[in-house]
Amino acid sequence: MEDNDEIIALIDDADERPACPKGPSWRILVVDDDPEVHIATNYALQHVEVFARPLALVHADSAAEARALLKHDRDFAVILLDVVMETEDAGLQMISFIREHCGMSQTRIILRTGQPGHAPELTVFNTYDINDYRTKNELTRVRLITAISAAIRSFHQIHAIDETRRGLERIIRASTALIDDREMAQFAAHVLGSIDTLLQRKTSTLLCAHTGTDDDDARDQPLRVLGASGRFSALLGQTVATLDDHDIRRAIASCLEFEQHRFDLNQTALCLNSGTDEGVIYLCCDTLLNESERQLLEVFATNVAASLGNVQLFEQLNFIAYHDALTRLRNRNRFILDLNEAVARNADTVVAILDLQHFADLNDGLGHEIGNGLLVAVAERLEAELGDCCRLARIGADVFGLIGPEARVNPHHLFALFEPPFQVSEHALPVSIALGLCRMLEDTPSGITLLKRANIALNRAKHDLAVSHAYFMPEMEDSTRWRLEIIHRLRADFAENRLSVWFQPQIELASGRLSGIEALLRWPQVEGGFIQPPAVFIPLAEYSGLIVDIGNWILEQSCTAFAELRRQRGAPQRIAVNVSMAQFRQSNLAATIADVMQRYDLGPGELELEITESIAMDEPKIIVGALLAIKNTGARVAIDDFGTGFSSLAHLRQLPIDAIKIDKSFIAEIANGRGGMFAETITALGAKLGIATVAEGVETAEQAGFLRGLGCNTAQGFLYGRPMPLDELKIWIAGRYDATA
């Protein structure tokens, strides 16, 4: 061998080809059927480095051997390829195999030939995808190194561009997934997985961000670990301020303070900042990130920052949609979803609905601010005592829902929970509750069905003064379904005018003449008889709220009938109409009565409104005010079923009433010359107060005589006449008048 510029010649005493190490070297495949070319190439390229990386040569002595090698090893930056080997165009055919079959588009191919006449240079360049074409004669050591260096430089640039393109494609795919995320846990998992995908290696990573869930500034909330992978997995959920690792805390704090990414030797902190939302991605790698990896992470961090704000917004909207604004507990919608999940898990749990008794009275007496404070105090106590094992919700104004194990969700435990009063402002408020409970039954119903069943049990509990709780039983649902069917049919029949008003005579005991009639609602069947008795369907009408419309309709029908009866001889002096509590709650009741009396020309005392004793005692302030307004219209007021309630004499004196009606149960006691103590007491009370008395349910002459002797004013019952339609009443009045005329 001569100088470096000499033609590469054969070196007879050269060592055998060394083994090719894998690693950061530039790998070069030498394909030539001349062994001396392999030896000379080894010698020429030994100790050569490009971009501070050594060269590593792999040798193939034929095109066939190269094909076999490339089937399983294609990691080559450059291929030095001879043209003439097994055949005159073996090298040229090899080019198509490399590019098309192996897909090695980035690898640089330098074609070498010792017989240029077999492959003209211009034709080869125009026909084949090669990067350089040299005769072996012209490849001195320097020129070979130059050609190899240029090829590697080209390969490096193409490879870097391709890696950047692939990295951007990975960023686009990852960012698309992030945009679709609606929950922070899912978002964090995608971020951590995408980082490993971008870097093509495993990392230990933290995603930290502020965690505001309401309208407050997010930066007022703690910076918390929302996602963690690798050796950091145990840190999930912790606040950054409490992390034991000082290096992590310092890197995150510095990243946020200067609002810049930090790339250190073995740790990286990426700043996420988009307006009011901020966070940090902190990751550790075994080696320092290269420039390409840093650029990918910077672009990815920008997309993460933009998506983070969207996810936090969705979480805030989700919180608003599924949580109660006052107590911060779950709301009814979320509670139903929780019930569905419990059913799906076939969890051995109990559903409880808890109602605060007399909450409306507290609100009215102490004000809504105190009422809201009590609700918050109840929510806090439930959370403190049951939050570790139960799902809690506020599902109504003063109604709370619980899902949890029966060992904790049971009447004994819950009633004990409410024994201590609740401190709200300067008030210590005792609270009693009613409980409706439902165990998971075998039919695995939906969440809404479970809630309905617990509600059925709660309604039963509200009417149980002894224990104030009830467990759902299947027969309760049957009863409820029957009641709903009755209400539905009642509503339909009322809309189609199928209800009717009947009338029962009231007789003045002293004279025996007709003094009045009472209007009574009936629900007749088309084929005769009645669909349901009033004792059944009227409470259901009150429960459904239909009683207000029905009551107004009865008032209209009654006044119409009375106006028609006045033209008949022996007509009654007044008509009595029952009024429900729901009607009393209507602010326009007195105006309605005044209007109907004016339209039908009813004079003072001709219309009498009856309320039950229980209504009179229920809400005295509302009742007294309403009765005074009614009295001002000229109507009379009577208390029905007197003696069955709990009215006091003092309260009775405050009511502006004209008559009291003795309940028929007390009249039934009058028989065989005995009984009648209660009737006697009530009659005497009425006389003392200057209030007329009306006896209901008079069926025998003995009862009528006894009441007459007591001084009772009026009687009604089967002894005189049953309730009857208007046409029959007209006939009855006419017959009675003719008989007494």
Side-chain angles (χ1 to χ4, degrees):
M1 293 289 294
E2 299 178 359
D3 294 343
N4 289 342
D5 288 330
E6 284 186 323
I7 296 174
I8 299 175
L10 300 180
I11 303 178
D12 297 330
D13 58 349
D15 295 334
E16 293 185 359
R17 306 178 209 168
C20 176
K22 287 192 176 183
S25 305
W26 299 109
R27 300 183 73 232
I28 298 174
L29 175 62
V30 181
V31 185
D32 203 299
D33 60 353
D34 187 346
E36 295 180 352
V37 170
H38 290 286
I39 296 172
T41 304
N42 269 337
Y43 178 78
L45 298 180
Q46 63 181 343
H47 308 306
V48 174
E49 291 186 352
V50 179
F51 297 137
R53 291 169 58 180
L55 307 182
L57 273 58
V58 176
H59 299 270
D61 294 324
S62 66
E65 184 180 341
R67 288 173 185 266
L69 186 151
L70 290 175
K71 287 181 179 180
H72 58 82
D73 185 3
R74 299 173 184 174
D75 182 21
F76 295 102
V78 181
I79 296 178
L80 291 171
L81 181 61
D82 190 14
V83 174
V84 180
M85 290 180 284
E86 299 99 317
T87 63
E88 293 182 351
D89 62 348
L92 300 179
Q93 296 298 323
M94 189 70 189
I95 296 171
S96 299
F97 178 79
I98 294 170
R99 296 300 193 206
E100 297 171 11
H101 181 79
C102 297
M104 299 169 65
S105 60
Q106 297 179 19
T107 301
R108 304 294 86 189
I109 299 177
I110 299 177
L111 199 62
R112 298 193 299 180
T113 182
Q115 306 174 47
H118 290 283
E121 183 176 349
L122 184 60
T123 302
V124 170
F125 265 108
N126 289 335
T127 306
Y128 297 96
D129 183 9
I130 63 172
N131 306 104
D132 202 354
Y133 186 24
R134 300 292 180 94
T135 62
K136 295 178 182 178
N137 293 344
E138 64 178 316
L139 278 179
T140 63
R141 181 172 186 269
V142 171
R143 290 178 180 174
L144 178 61
I145 292 173
T146 300
I148 291 291
S149 297
I152 289 176
R153 188 180 300 274
S154 174
F155 170 81
H156 177 63
Q157 291 174 344
I158 293 173
H159 183 73
I161 292 171
D162 189 64
E163 282 299 305
T164 300
R165 178 183 60 80
R166 292 176 186 273
L168 291 175
E169 289 176 352
R170 292 194 293 269
I171 288 176
I172 291 172
R173 288 194 296 269
S175 299
T176 301
L178 296 180
I179 291 173
D180 293 335
D181 287 336
R182 297 294 181 266
E183 296 182 358
M184 188 59 71
Q186 183 183 36
F187 175 79
H190 278 157
V191 170
L192 302 186
S194 298
I195 287 176
D196 286 355
T197 301
L198 288 176
L199 300 180
Q200 299 292 289
R201 50 177 154 166
K202 287 289 185 181
T203 63
S204 294
T205 308
L206 298 175
L207 172 62
C208 310
H210 294 290
T211 55
T213 56
D214 49 30
D215 294 333
D216 298 334
D217 189 342
R219 300 192 187 202
D220 293 337
Q221 305 296 328
L223 195 70
R224 189 177 297 275
V225 177
L226 305 180
S229 68
R231 61 185 177 90
F232 296 147
S233 297
L235 304 180
L236 182 64
Q238 297 185 32
T239 59
V240 171
T242 62
L243 297 181
D244 293 335
D245 195 314
H246 175 72
D247 291 338
I248 294 178
R249 295 201 313 272
R250 183 175 57 187
I252 291 176
S254 174
C255 180
L256 290 178
E257 179 182 359
F258 296 103
E259 297 185 355
Q260 291 181 345
H261 305 314
R262 283 190 50 162
F263 296 99
D264 297 327
L265 180 61
N266 60 354
Q267 65 178 3
T268 296
L270 303 172
C271 181
L272 309 176
N273 194 330
S274 61
T276 59
D277 305 301
E278 67 175 10
V280 173
I281 298 175
Y282 176 89
L283 62 125
C284 285
C285 295
D286 297 334
T287 58
L288 183 67
L289 299 177
N290 60 41
E291 185 62 28
S292 176
E293 291 172 326
R294 292 184 182 186
Q295 291 175 355
L296 289 176
L297 288 178
E298 287 176 347
V299 174
F300 182 62
T302 301
N303 291 332
V304 172
S307 299
L308 176 64
N310 292 335
V311 175
Q312 289 182 327
L313 176 59
F314 273 109
E315 288 219 327
Q316 291 175 17
L317 293 175
N318 183 72
F319 187 88
I320 293 170
Y322 290 112
H323 288 79
D324 173 54
L326 177 65
T327 64
R328 319 300 288 168
L329 295 179
R330 290 169 165 82
N331 61 14
R332 185 178 185 274
N333 292 334
R334 179 67 252 184
F335 190 68
I336 292 172
L337 295 177
D338 290 339
L339 287 171
N340 286 331
E341 292 175 4
V343 171
R345 295 196 312 269
N346 195 23
D348 184 17
T349 56
V350 173
V351 182
I353 296 183
L354 180 157
D355 180 82
L356 307 186
Q357 302 281 56
H358 310 297
F359 179 76
D361 294 338
L362 182 144
N363 246 351
D364 294 339
L366 298 179
H368 290 285
E369 185 176 351
I370 299 299
N372 288 343
L374 175 60
L375 294 173
V376 172
V378 169
E380 289 175 348
R381 186 177 294 183
L382 290 173
E383 186 71 46
E385 296 292 333
L386 300 171
D388 62 328
C389 65
C390 297
R391 295 290 181 90
L392 308 172
R394 182 188 176 204
I395 59 178
D398 58 346
V399 180
F400 294 83
L402 301 86
I403 308 171
E406 191 164 7
R408 303 286 293 279
V409 183
N410 60 71
H412 175 76
H413 184 71
L414 293 175
F415 283 133
L417 195 62
F418 279 80
E419 284 181 359
F422 291 83
Q423 191 67 40
V424 181
S425 186
E426 71 275 13
H427 304 281
L429 303 175
V431 175
S432 59
I433 60 172
L435 280 175
L437 303 103
C438 179
R439 297 183 177 95
M440 293 287 181
L441 302 178
E442 295 179 357
D443 58 347
T444 60
S446 64
I448 191 67
T449 300
L450 280 175
L451 181 60
K452 182 185 74 173
R453 290 177 175 179
N455 260 317
I456 291 172
L458 177 63
N459 288 330
R460 181 68 60 89
K462 286 182 176 181
H463 293 91
D464 191 338
L465 300 178
V467 293
S468 297
H469 78 272
Y471 279 91
F472 171 80
M473 303 297 289
E475 53 266 27
M476 292 182 185
E477 195 165 33
D478 295 338
S479 174
T480 300
R481 187 178 296 110
W482 174 83
R483 291 167 62 222
L484 292 176
E485 289 173 356
I486 294 296
I487 291 171
H488 176 74
R489 185 172 180 183
L490 176 62
R491 192 181 300 276
D493 281 7
F494 174 63
E496 295 177 10
N497 202 30
R498 291 178 181 170
L499 303 186
S500 62
V501 179
W502 288 22
F503 305 92
Q504 186 172 30
Q506 295 177 333
I507 305 300
E508 188 176 78
L509 286 171
S511 64
R513 68 183 180 86
L514 177 65
S515 61
I517 54 174
E518 180 181 4
L520 300 169
L521 181 64
R522 292 295 183 265
W523 189 4
Q525 299 187 77
V526 176
E527 62 274 13
F530 299 100
I531 294 176
Q532 292 293 337
V536 172
F537 74 81
I538 288 180
L540 294 179
E542 292 175 343
Y543 173 80
S544 66
L546 187 60
I547 194 63
V548 174
D549 291 335
I550 291 178
N552 292 336
W553 176 80
I554 293 173
L555 182 62
E556 189 79 22
Q557 294 293 310
S558 301
C559 292
T560 301
F562 186 75
E564 188 175 338
L565 287 173
R566 281 186 305 189
R567 297 192 294 268
Q568 185 174 348
R569 290 180 299 177
Q573 298 174 349
R574 70 180 64 91
I575 183 168
V577 180
N578 290 276
V579 180
S580 69
M581 187 64 201
Q583 288 174 275
F584 267 95
R585 292 183 183 276
Q586 302 296 309
S587 60
N588 63 341
L589 177 61
T592 300
I593 293 170
D595 174 68
V596 76
M597 289 181 69
Q598 182 181 9
R599 285 190 288 109
Y600 292 98
D601 194 25
L602 270 63
E606 290 188 316
L607 176 62
E608 182 177 88
L609 301 179
E610 295 184 2
I611 62 171
T612 63
E613 183 181 10
S614 59
I615 290 178
M617 298 302 107
D618 189 30
E619 297 186 41
K621 293 181 180 179
I622 294 177
I623 295 299
V624 171
L627 292 181
L628 287 172
I630 290 171
K631 291 284 288 183
N632 289 334
T633 67
R636 285 166 52 92
V637 176
I639 294 183
D640 197 13
D641 302 331
F642 188 81
T644 59
F646 302 95
S647 58
S648 66
L649 180 60
H651 182 62
L652 189 62
R653 293 178 62 184
Q654 296 176 6
L655 296 176
I657 59 177
D658 299 285
I660 52 178
K661 301 185 71 173
I662 306 171
D663 187 71
K664 61 184 179 180
S665 62
F666 302 133
I667 305 304
E669 296 176 351
I670 304 171
N672 301 321
R674 296 185 302 174
M677 180 184 67
F678 286 103
E680 181 178 1
T681 302
I682 295 171
T683 302
L685 177 62
K688 291 288 185 182
L689 296 175
I691 299 172
T693 52
V694 180
E696 297 183 289
V698 178
E699 298 183 357
T700 66
E702 179 185 0
Q703 292 170 341
F706 183 84
L707 291 166
R708 190 181 300 111
L710 294 177
C712 180
N713 305 104
T714 306
Q716 70 180 84
F718 292 173
L719 177 64
Y720 305 105
R722 294 174 177 270
M724 61 194 85
L726 180 60
D727 291 342
E728 291 184 18
L729 178 63
K730 290 178 181 179
I731 297 172
W732 183 90
I733 293 174
R736 183 178 179 82
Y737 179 80
D738 292 340
T740 57

